[in-house]
Amino acid sequence: MSSYRYQGRHLWLIVFMPLFLTSPVSIAACVWGFKHDRGLELEAMCSINILQFIFIALKLDGFIKWSWSVVFIPIWILMCLLCLIVLYYIVWSILILRATEIMAEQRRAHLMAAFTAMALVIPLLTFEILLVNRLDESNLYPFVAVFSPLYISLLVLILCLLFICCRYCW
């Protein structure tokens, strides 16, 4: 630890400290939100990703020598859950699309929700795979190319918030 001080750099664990302190508060906020039937998305993301923040800080400080694909395991678990949700949306929208007793507007809304979910998650998963491969030096794509799927996912999210009714959007 003293060698970091002499080199003029800070430990990444110290840099990530606000996120470490935010996570227990976020967990308490999530418990309160569930008890009072309130949705707290930001708090849930902070409390879920505490392990991810710790792994990244330890990797950047050199305390662990894992590959980046192992460091990103908490994100992979979260992405698996998101992929299952997208699959659920797709199957549900296909079933609703085939039902004749449901109004056309509702069928269109469910189909749009499935398409939006897919358009958000697939580029995000692509970004994470490209980023891990770039950090592990499996590929040498420029970071602009690595981050392009993330920009696409963010663009879809912005368009969703601007043009689609909020109750059908993530």
Side-chain angles (χ1 to χ4, degrees):
M1 187 160 162
S2 62
S3 64
Y4 286 105
R5 202 174 322 146
Y6 293 123
Q7 294 176 358
R9 57 184 282 244
H10 299 285
L11 290 173
W12 281 102
L13 286 172
I14 295 172
V15 173
F16 277 87
M17 193 59 64
L19 293 174
F20 298 151
L21 297 176
T22 304
S23 295
V25 174
S26 298
I27 292 171
C30 286
V31 170
W32 179 85
F34 288 133
K35 283 185 177 180
H36 297 330
D37 293 328
R38 306 246 170 117
L40 303 168
E41 290 84 13
L42 180 63
E43 291 81 359
M45 290 303 294
C46 286
S47 61
I48 288 172
N49 288 326
I50 179 72
L51 195 57
Q52 184 67 60
F53 301 146
I54 292 170
F55 284 172
I56 290 173
L58 291 174
K59 173 72 175 173
L60 291 173
D61 281 338
F63 290 122
I64 56 175
K65 302 294 181 199
W66 302 339
S67 70
W68 281 101
S69 57
V70 174
V71 170
F72 276 89
I73 283 179
I75 293 290
W76 298 128
I77 293 170
L78 188 62
M79 286 306 296
C80 286
L81 292 175
L82 285 176
C83 288
L84 286 175
I85 290 170
V86 167
L87 185 63
Y88 167 78
Y89 274 154
I90 291 170
V91 169
W92 188 249
S93 67
I94 290 172
L95 291 175
I96 288 179
L97 194 61
R98 303 197 82 187
T100 57
E101 63 273 358
I102 297 176
M103 293 180 0
E105 182 179 323
Q106 288 178 335
R107 287 186 282 185
R108 188 172 43 251
H110 282 281
L111 188 64
M112 194 62 169
F115 175 75
T116 304
M118 190 173 57
L120 282 170
V121 171
I122 290 175
L124 192 60
L125 183 61
T126 305
F127 159 70
E128 291 171 3
I129 292 169
L130 287 173
L131 180 64
V132 165
N133 286 336
R134 177 68 167 107
L135 293 174
D136 280 338
E137 297 178 354
S138 297
N139 64 31
L140 297 176
Y141 297 138
F143 279 107
V144 171
V146 169
F147 278 82
S148 295
L150 178 64
Y151 298 144
I152 292 169
S153 186
L154 290 174
L155 180 66
V156 168
L157 183 62
I158 290 170
L159 292 175
C160 175
L161 292 173
L162 290 176
F163 297 114
I164 299 175
C165 184
C166 291
R167 65 182 177 170
Y168 300 122
C169 187
W170 283 28

